[in-house]
Amino acid sequence: MTEELKDYIESLEHYINATPTGQMREVLTTANIIIQTLGNDNDTLRRLLWLRHGCDTGALYGDDGEMQCGHCIMDFKRMPAQEIENRWHTMVLLKLKTSDELKEELNKLFPKDSDDN
Ligand SMILES: [Zn+2]
């Protein structure tokens, strides 16, 4: 679970403890279960992405729960998902061997209107 989620849960607990209703405790318990489930799913999906993102396993570093790749310099445990996606697109562009492949990939990313041709 990320530090942001832990901070969010702690802030909710502080708020609920200051509220004298049992209903709020129930809401917090449900919210905690949902947040923990999402955090666990996030961890699992990041681990699978780290293991299967296409780089040689020799480039992967996974001691003590780390999920890093020395080839594409990505930290799958800490980097925001959007940053991972952006770097992934950059890696795809860098792997293209010909200018035709580059044009084709750029056309997919930034489609032109037919009037521009
Ligand atoms: Zn990699």
Side-chain angles (χ1 to χ4, degrees):
M1 185 183 317
T2 67
E3 289 300 316
E4 290 173 14
L5 284 175
K6 287 180 185 173
D7 290 345
Y8 179 67
I9 290 170
E10 284 178 16
S11 71
L12 284 177
E13 285 176 346
H14 179 75
Y15 173 76
I16 296 304
N17 287 335
T19 306
T21 65
Q23 262 186 329
M24 293 304 285
R25 169 61 58 195
E26 195 173 312
V27 168
L28 175 62
T29 300
T30 303
N32 262 331
I33 291 169
I34 292 169
I35 291 169
Q36 286 178 0
T37 299
L38 290 172
N40 290 341
D41 285 353
N42 184 40
D43 291 344
T44 299
L45 292 171
R46 283 176 176 270
R47 190 173 314 103
L48 289 171
L49 180 61
W50 168 66
L51 286 170
R52 306 274 190 251
H53 73 280
C55 286
D56 188 86
T57 55
L60 304 182
Y61 176 75
D63 288 357
D64 300 324
E66 295 295 325
M67 293 184 281
Q68 300 167 3
C69 177
H71 178 71
C72 55
I73 318 297
M74 285 207 264
D75 186 335
F76 292 85
K77 184 176 178 178
R78 295 176 185 82
M79 287 172 61
Q82 185 64 58
E83 188 175 345
I84 291 173
E85 184 181 23
N86 291 343
R87 282 202 195 189
W88 193 308
H89 287 304
T90 302
M91 294 285 291
V92 167
L93 293 176
L94 290 173
K95 286 180 180 176
L96 299 176
K97 292 181 173 63
T98 68
S99 60
D100 286 341
E101 288 176 333
L102 179 59
K103 285 178 191 171
E104 186 178 324
E105 194 62 34
L106 288 173
N107 284 335
K108 283 187 216 166
L109 291 173
F110 309 104
K112 291 182 182 178
D113 292 335
S114 57
D115 294 344
D116 293 344
N117 293 334

